[in-house]
Amino acid sequence: MRTPEALLQQYFGHREFRSGQKQAIDAILQGRDVLAIMPTGAGKSVCYQISAMLLPGLTIVISPLISLMKDQVEALHQVGIPAAYLNSTISPAQFADTMIGVRNGQYRILYAAPERLMTEHFLALTAEVPVSMVAVDEAHCVSQWGQDFRQSYLDIVPFVEQLPVRPVCCAFTATATQQVETDIAALLHLQNPVSVKTGFDRKNLFFGVRQPQKKMDEVIQILTENAGKSGIIYCSTRKAVEDVCNALREKGYPATRYHAGLVEKERSANQEDFLYDRQTIMVATNAFGMGIDKSNVSFVIHYQMPMDLESYYQEAGRAGRDGEPAQCILLYSGRDVRTNQFLLERGKENAEIEEVSLRESLLQKGEERLRQMTFYATSTSCLRRRMLQYFGEKAPETCGNCSCCLTNYREEDVTLEAKKIISCVYRGQKAGYHLSRTMTADILIGSKKESILRMRLDKLSTYGIIEKMTRRQVAQLIDELVEMECLALRPFQEFSELVLTSGSAAVIRGEKQVSHRVPIVQKKRISMGSSDDSVSSEEQGLFQKLRELRTEFARAEGVPAYIIFTDASLRDMCRKKPRTMGELRQVSGVGIVKSQKYGKDFLHAIAAWQAEHPEES
């Protein structure tokens, strides 16, 4: 009998569904719409892939990045699921062949970009071929409250409405606040959808924020901690990508790069080098990564703070997809806030969005998300708790697995310093100035910067009145006052200016005390265990032998090694040491197709190793 459980074992080699998967599949098979919010690595794609094999017609998967469809389809072919994609990267002959295949019922899943839905050829195709399900991946792109709004996602509803019979409609995303979740359901016209939420907490990920004087030195430190492992370094700008990548290459690190300024051929080649482990370090802008299924990413470094927590969670979540411990480290400086403010202003000129009021609205929403991201980056309380609360989840006070929880703090009364900061903002406003966060800090510490002197800000009565704090410490205290709503930021020309609030008056009048946590010492140096920790030291040799065999198959077939078997599957083989095909199929991630294709060779390799190491077997 073709049950979801049987297909899960057959195609993906797992005996049990992960949290939320079965709930989504059952709803789809009952003809219900579904809205699933599941973190990266939770197996969203399995929900519509298994369902597609049990539904009678075609499943259309709407995906935003055409460059990744090929990888996704190749992975499905590896497990025996007939799938195809239609996008601008294929030749006219391939396009025609795929169209014929879809019409002949050759494929069960068809990937398409939202821009293709309302084209003449696609509308003609879907008028002829019964469509059982439309699955919208990265569904947050439909919402103006989301971090990645795309006008083309608004074509999904008109496309569905013109189909001869309305199919089941499903929306999947890894990141959605309550506002975005509401938008997705409304804007995609989901009909009484079954809501599937598995929670945002990925316990295998360590979250850390560091504020180094020299970011590159800190990057080298993290790479040393993760020697030989695969990781991603995200930068906010193309220039930063180039600078970081060049610096790493000069030091001998196997690094490559990815950003929109490179020609498509180089971007594809660099992405392939990373996926195939020819280059283990990818330095990239946020143009890289959406839909990347590379399972052995052990660390993600954000060289600069991203614009919002949605983006950070999504990008950081590309680490540890195999369930092994992984690091997510943000390197923060106050300059990152100014860089993101500039990028937000530039994004306001987005040519795809013609309506001026909409662009202004998107800018305001972006500024609020940036404010929340800054609070995370400067927090002294549990980072995981702050992130989970942002997405509307309850969380314990501490997690024990973030940089704040692993640091000892002491409480320090800074009410006097807070009054001085608020007074500086007040004096500046009275004198007709619009003071930014960094400008205020410079005034208070008595900076001799040319800009401060030229604007005669040294003549303010608050100039130099904070003597025992650095510029960075003052700026951090300003951030805390903004978070406490004792100050506020509002857009002014090309930057955000500090303004007073009702909380400002409460501090000045002595009605509100201000204290902050000062780090004393970290409880321990954060160093995640090796991704091979679950394999005993005696079995390391077998693990390496299986990796080498996997590499041979990957090279012969021209696919990334993780598509053959993930590291997690190889580690399970090392633990179970299967001797028969039946035992091999009990290994996590080994389905029927893969066992038939590779099983004999892997069983032979395991038996040979056991013969050579009888005492370890």
Side-chain angles (χ1 to χ4, degrees):
M1 182 178 177
R2 285 167 60 84
T3 64
E5 290 80 4
L7 295 189
L8 181 71
Q9 177 70 51
Q10 175 182 343
Y11 293 121
F12 301 104
H14 301 301
R15 284 176 289 177
E16 295 180 350
F17 284 103
R18 296 179 185 176
S19 175
Q21 289 179 328
K22 186 64 163 51
Q23 181 187 358
I25 292 169
D26 286 345
I28 292 169
L29 297 180
Q30 293 165 12
R32 297 283 303 278
D33 286 359
V34 170
L35 171 53
I37 303 173
M38 304 165 69
T40 302
K44 294 184 291 295
S45 58
V46 168
C47 298
Y48 57 77
Q49 290 165 355
I50 292 288
S51 300
M53 298 305 292
L54 292 167
L55 292 172
L58 179 71
T59 287
I60 295 175
V61 180
I62 299 169
S63 180
L65 293 182
I66 61 175
S67 61
L68 302 175
M69 293 180 190
K70 180 174 180 288
D71 295 337
Q72 293 166 339
V73 169
E74 278 184 353
L76 290 175
H77 289 170
Q78 279 288 325
V79 300
I81 294 178
Y85 60 91
L86 288 174
N87 62 42
S88 57
T89 67
I90 61 178
S91 67
Q94 291 172 317
F95 186 90
D97 288 344
T98 300
M99 294 282 280
I100 293 171
V102 172
R103 285 189 167 95
N104 291 339
Q106 182 179 339
Y107 305 113
R108 303 301 295 272
I109 301 175
L110 179 65
Y111 284 81
E115 292 82 2
R116 181 162 297 276
L117 299 178
M118 299 302 288
T119 61
E120 181 181 351
H121 288 297
F122 203 81
L123 291 174
L125 177 69
T126 52
E128 300 174 32
V129 178
V131 177
S132 297
M133 175 168 56
V134 171
V136 182
D137 204 6
E138 309 297 344
H140 61 271
C141 294
V142 77
S143 172
Q144 294 174 22
W145 283 96
Q147 82 280 11
D148 196 19
F149 171 67
R150 301 196 182 199
Q151 190 86 28
S152 55
Y153 263 62
L154 300 179
D155 287 339
I156 295 173
V157 168
F159 167 72
V160 170
E161 289 178 343
Q162 61 78 43
L163 292 173
V165 178
R166 186 188 186 277
V168 173
C169 293
C170 307
F172 298 88
T173 182
T175 52
T177 60
Q178 184 60 54
Q179 177 68 59
V180 172
E181 181 184 348
T182 301
D183 266 7
I184 291 172
L187 295 171
L188 292 180
H189 291 190
L190 300 182
Q191 298 180 359
N192 189 25
V194 173
S195 176
V196 178
K197 296 181 185 178
T198 59
F200 289 89
D201 190 9
R202 292 181 59 196
K203 297 185 185 300
N204 65 311
L205 299 184
F206 169 85
F207 290 100
V209 177
R210 304 183 188 179
Q211 300 187 32
Q213 294 289 345
K214 295 182 179 179
K215 288 190 176 183
M216 184 50 63
D217 290 349
E218 198 69 25
V219 168
I220 298 302
Q221 173 63 43
I222 297 170
L223 295 182
T224 301
E225 295 169 4
N226 291 275
K229 298 179 184 178
S230 183
I232 303 171
I233 303 174
Y234 278 109
C235 302
S236 296
T237 64
R238 299 176 188 179
K239 182 181 184 303
V241 168
E242 295 290 339
D243 292 344
V244 172
C245 187
N246 290 337
L248 292 179
R249 285 173 172 173
E250 288 174 4
K251 293 180 181 294
Y253 286 95
T256 188
R257 59 186 180 161
Y258 191 104
H259 60 71
L262 303 176
V263 296
E264 173 60 31
K265 185 176 181 180
E266 183 179 353
R267 282 204 307 272
S268 297
N270 292 349
Q271 176 172 297
E272 193 171 280
D273 282 344
F274 180 66
L275 293 177
Y276 286 69
D277 290 319
R278 293 190 287 264
Q279 304 285 349
T280 57
I281 301 170
M282 171 61 78
V283 187
T285 60
N286 62 5
F288 175 80
M290 190 180 289
I292 290 293
D293 292 328
K294 185 174 169 66
S295 61
N296 65 333
V297 175
S298 296
F299 62 90
V300 171
I301 302 169
H302 277 79
Y303 192 77
Q304 292 155 311
M305 184 184 75
M307 290 187 185
D308 46 64
L309 275 167
E310 290 95 335
S311 298
Y312 181 69
Y313 179 82
Q314 191 171 62
E315 291 160 12
R318 285 161 193 151
R321 292 178 67 104
D322 56 2
E324 295 298 312
Q327 287 181 298
C328 307
I329 306 296
L330 168 60
L331 305 182
Y332 171 77
S333 75
R335 186 177 300 171
D336 297 341
V337 180
R338 297 193 296 276
T339 299
N340 280 312
Q341 187 66 48
F342 168 76
L343 293 174
L344 279 173
E345 288 283 349
R346 192 174 68 178
K348 187 177 70 171
E349 306 306 320
N350 188 340
E352 185 186 7
I353 303 170
E354 297 178 359
E355 187 181 339
V356 175
S357 60
L358 175 55
R359 290 205 300 266
E360 290 292 343
S361 174
L362 291 175
L363 175 61
Q364 291 174 11
K365 293 166 184 174
E367 286 172 338
E368 174 57 26
R369 291 197 300 271
L370 175 57
R371 193 166 75 101
Q372 295 299 326
M373 183 72 238
T374 306
F375 293 159
Y376 173 91
T378 57
S379 178
T380 57
S381 60
C382 177
L383 297 175
R384 183 174 264 98
R385 174 181 171 83
R386 180 173 286 276
M387 185 177 296
L388 294 177
Q389 286 182 324
Y390 178 79
F391 289 114
E393 285 191 16
K394 293 182 179 179
E397 289 292 332
T398 60
C399 72
N401 195 29
C402 76
S403 58
C404 289
C405 288
L406 295 180
T407 302
N408 285 323
Y409 293 90
R410 60 179 170 82
E411 290 290 331
E412 183 176 271
D413 189 321
V414 289
T415 305
L416 178 59
E417 287 77 8
K419 288 182 176 181
K420 291 178 180 179
I421 291 170
I422 293 169
S423 295
C424 184
V425 175
Y426 172 75
R427 300 294 178 191
Q429 286 182 346
K430 292 288 285 184
Y433 294 106
H434 300 272
L435 301 182
S436 69
R437 166 184 174 274
T438 51
M439 197 179 295
T440 302
D442 281 331
I443 294 168
L444 287 161
I445 65 168
S447 170
K448 302 294 186 183
K449 279 184 179 178
E450 185 273 334
S451 57
I452 297 292
L453 302 179
R454 174 170 43 81
M455 295 174 66
R456 298 179 60 81
L457 291 169
D458 57 324
K459 305 304 179 185
L460 290 177
S461 60
T462 51
Y463 180 78
I465 62 172
I466 294 183
E467 300 176 346
K468 296 182 179 180
M469 295 178 72
T470 65
R471 177 189 294 107
R472 172 180 290 191
Q473 290 170 333
V474 174
Q476 288 174 343
L477 181 52
I478 291 172
D479 290 336
E480 292 179 38
L481 290 172
V482 171
E483 185 172 9
M484 294 167 62
E485 298 185 350
C486 296
L487 284 173
L489 286 167
R490 72 179 180 195
F492 177 77
Q493 295 181 358
E494 300 300 319
F495 64 94
S496 293
E497 67 167 327
L498 287 169
V499 294
L500 302 175
T501 67
S502 58
S504 307
V507 173
I508 293 296
R509 290 195 298 262
E511 299 168 358
K512 186 180 183 69
Q513 297 295 111
V514 180
S515 64
H516 73 169
R517 303 173 80 204
V518 180
I520 304 171
V521 64
Q522 282 190 331
K523 295 177 183 176
K524 62 180 179 179
R525 179 64 178 174
I526 297 143
S527 180
M528 305 304 293
S530 165
S531 61
D532 301 341
D533 284 350
S534 56
V535 177
S536 69
S537 57
E538 293 81 8
E539 294 167 340
Q540 285 297 326
L542 175 58
F543 181 64
Q544 292 305 321
K545 188 171 185 177
L546 296 182
R547 290 185 72 180
E548 290 168 6
L549 178 58
R550 178 183 66 176
T551 298
E552 291 177 17
F553 277 112
R555 286 174 178 167
E557 297 183 27
V559 297
Y562 67 85
I563 286 183
I564 305 296
F565 289 122
T566 65
D567 282 358
S569 293
L570 298 187
R571 284 190 286 271
D572 204 26
M573 287 185 202
C574 291
R575 288 189 293 268
K576 293 177 178 174
K577 300 183 184 66
R579 294 168 295 177
T580 67
M581 198 68 77
E583 290 178 358
L584 180 64
R585 287 176 185 162
Q586 299 305 306
V587 171
S588 175
V590 180
I592 292 176
V593 173
K594 287 190 175 183
S595 65
Q596 292 172 341
K597 196 171 185 180
Y598 310 114
K600 189 178 295 184
D601 293 276
F602 278 85
L603 288 174
H604 178 74
I606 293 168
W609 182 85
Q610 286 181 302
E612 295 171 4
H613 304 83
E615 71 288 348
E616 295 174 9
S617 301

